[in-house]
Structures are given as structure tokens and as C-alpha cells.
Amino acid sequence: MTLRAKSVVCLKVKSGGYLYICVPGMKKDCHDNLPKELLLSWTPEQLAYLSSFAYDILDADYLYGWRDKILGISPFGGFDGMMFSIVPVFIVIVFVFVFGTIIVRSIQGAKQWKSNNESPVLTVDATVVTKRADVQHYHHNTGTDNMHHMSSSTTYYATFEVTSGDRLEFQIRDTEYGMLVEHDIGKLTFQGTRYLGFERSKR
């Protein structure tokens, strides 16, 4: 492709002003057969600088493509170019982090499930020391009206103290949570970290 010289004009524009650029061109290339009407006002050398719209598009793509490869810059330039480079990388990092977190938690859950299955089922004397509820709130917009909604989920825990003085905390069902009372004494049954039940002693 032949590179043609372009004239450069330096203009001063006041802040907030507009600069309009009008570039003459051809609807289609006719350099091989210049109309005599054009030759009345233009010389063939001057007309050589005019090209068709399609040629200018290809020429710009060619030049910008090589400029980007050589300089390693975005055709958008400046802050826009930096954003077009950073945003995809940021999205990939977030995706990898979320996906990696899910995988790690799944592996940990599978290991704990396997460990619990391999652990013996134990029943020991224990006292209910305390219990707690962990509430998670979620905010989201739903529906075509874009209304704000809030949902929540609750996880229940109970802590038991065995005769050795050690304390064990287990995740329990909501029905168990309502039945347990602090300072209750009874038989705790568990398997690893898996809570199986608590039978209150009759007084």
C-alpha cells in the first residue's frame, strides 16, 4: 500500500469550542480515468491526494493496525484505551476468583464429608453452653418494576461442653435450635463435625 503525505494544520480552539473538519473525497476511485470536469480546477497531482471512502477506511485500518502493533497502544488512546485494556483483565480476575472460591469450598466440603463418614459415632455426656443464629441478608432488584427486595437466610449453631471440659460447636437444624435450652444436661451424639442429636436427661 502506498503511503501518501497528509497536510497538517495547527489550530487554536478556545475551551468548550468546536472544531469541524471537512475532507474532500471521491464517491468511488477514478484515478485511472479522471473526468475532464475535475481537471478544469485540479491537476492530476492534486487529485492524487483524493481517494474514495472505502480506500480511506482500509488505509486507516492498515495504519492504525500497524501503529498498535509497533507501539502497543489502543486506537482509542488515553484513558479510554487504558479502560479497554484494564476492564477485560479485571473481569477475568473476578471470574477466576469467584470460580476458584467455589472450587476450594467444594473440595473442603467433600473432604469434611468424607472425614465425618470415616469418624466413629460417639455419644457423650454434655451440657448445652450456648446457642447462636447467624443471619445473612441479601439485597437485590427483581421484576420489570425494578423494585428493591431483601431476603435472608439463617444458620443455627449450638455449643456443648463435655465432661473433659472441651467445648464443641455444631451446626444444627432450626427445629433442634428451638428445643435446646442453655444449661440443659443430656447425651450428645455426633460424628466428626456432624451433629446427630441431643437427648435431654430426665430430672
Side-chain angles (χ1 to χ4, degrees), residues 130-136 153-158 169 172 177:
T130 185
K131 57 182 185 177
R132 65 183 179 91
D134 183 15
V135 181
Q136 299 287 336
S153 63
T154 306
T155 306
Y156 300 94
Y157 300 91
E169 184 180 62
I172 60 177
Y177 183 85

Side-chain angles (χ1 to χ4, degrees), residues 4-6 24 31 44-51:
R4 296 164 296 159
K6 305 289 183 180
H31 288 91
E45 291 76 14
Q46 292 172 329
L47 292 173
Y49 289 98
L50 302 181
S51 58

Side-chain angles (χ1 to χ4, degrees), residues 76-92:
F76 297 97
F79 180 75
D80 291 338
M82 181 178 64
M83 289 300 296
F84 273 93
S85 300
I86 293 177
V87 170
V89 175
F90 177 75
I91 293 175
V92 171

Side-chain angles (χ1 to χ4, degrees), residues 137-156:
H137 296 282
Y138 306 96
H139 302 270
H140 50 87
N141 297 326
T142 58
T144 57
D145 55 356
N146 201 29
M147 293 293 292
H148 182 76
H149 298 274
M150 183 178 68
S151 60
S152 63
S153 63
T154 306
T155 306
Y156 300 94

